[in-house]
Amino acid sequence: TISDVEVEQDMTRPYAYVGRQLASGRPPETVVARGMDVVDISDVRDPKVLHRWRIEEPDLHTGGGGKDVKIFSWNDRHYAVLATQFGQGGPDNDLGAVVFDVTDLPEKLTEVARIQGPEAKGGFHNIYVYKHSNGRVLLFATVAAPHSDIYDLGYVVEGRGDEARVANVPVPQNDATRGGRGYHDFYTGYHADSEQDRFYGGGTGGYYVYN
């Protein structure tokens, strides 16, 4: 039932974020409701689950549920992003991600925003968070389309969700990608020699430069 795990890199924040999904073929009594767990790993011999977040009315939802997890900081606050994928036979098929304020761990986990709407239909399978050289924190998301959508996470947590989807990265048309639906994995980073922010999409054989 574990999909992805993200671990804080700050030694003063010994937390792991664990995506939880429906596991096919498991007996009903062992099925975990779809969502995310926050685990204290300060003592690796005795980890403790601090919080369990679950989607509302889990029995009505279909599909996997909690997928990829990433963390970021904005205005001296700490956040976690949980990518979600729910099926068409139930609610929240257009929910791409849930954003949590995790600043006050271990005491408190607070949901602050959802990325949801027609552009997120089918959910986000994989996500990647990148701090652009201009200082903005961007979320790159796989969607059920031949591109990756880009969201400004500062806008998301500031309540400017209608402005948060700022761009997309199309899949280049070549022999390796022709007929495909879109990206599965990607990486973004700063190329110091050219002073460019670059996006590398898995299986596309190239990269994008963006401003």
Side-chain angles (χ1 to χ4, degrees), residues 77-120:
R77 305 290 294 180
H78 299 276
Y79 298 92
V81 188
L82 171 69
T84 63
Q85 280 192 303
F86 294 107
Q88 295 184 12
D92 292 319
N93 175 245
D94 62 347
L95 178 61
V98 184
V99 183
F100 302 89
D101 188 327
V102 296
T103 309
D104 299 319
L105 290 176
E107 289 80 13
K108 186 165 62 173
L109 172 73
T110 306
E111 180 184 329
V112 295
R114 295 189 178 194
I115 299 175
Q116 189 164 12
E119 297 85 2

Side-chain angles (χ1 to χ4, degrees), residues 36-166:
M36 182 183 77
D37 293 345
V38 182
V39 183
D40 183 335
I41 55 173
S42 55
D43 182 351
V44 295
R45 295 165 297 183
D46 186 26
K48 294 180 172 62
V49 177
L50 298 174
H51 301 278
R52 292 182 173 91
W53 179 88
R54 300 294 183 256
I55 194 69
E56 311 83 23
E57 300 180 316
D59 292 341
L60 299 181
H61 288 71
T62 64
K67 293 294 183 180
D68 205 358
V69 189
K70 293 292 185 287
I71 56 176
F72 70 98
S73 297
W74 183 252
N75 286 342
D76 299 321
R77 305 290 294 180
H78 299 276
Y79 298 92
V81 188
L82 171 69
T84 63
Q85 280 192 303
F86 294 107
Q88 295 184 12
D92 292 319
N93 175 245
D94 62 347
L95 178 61
V98 184
V99 183
F100 302 89
D101 188 327
V102 296
T103 309
D104 299 319
L105 290 176
E107 289 80 13
K108 186 165 62 173
L109 172 73
T110 306
E111 180 184 329
V112 295
R114 295 189 178 194
I115 299 175
Q116 189 164 12
E119 297 85 2
K121 192 172 181 62
F124 300 160
H125 186 72
N126 280 335
I127 55 176
Y128 193 88
V129 171
Y130 174 66
K131 187 173 184 179
H132 193 279
S133 59
N134 65 13
R136 305 303 299 185
V137 179
L138 305 177
L139 174 74
F140 292 78
T142 59
V143 294
H147 59 259
S148 168
D149 279 341
I150 307 174
Y151 292 84
D152 186 313
L153 287 171
Y155 289 172
V156 171
V157 300
E158 291 168 358
R160 300 169 61 183
D162 292 344
E163 307 170 61
R165 184 172 173 266
V166 293

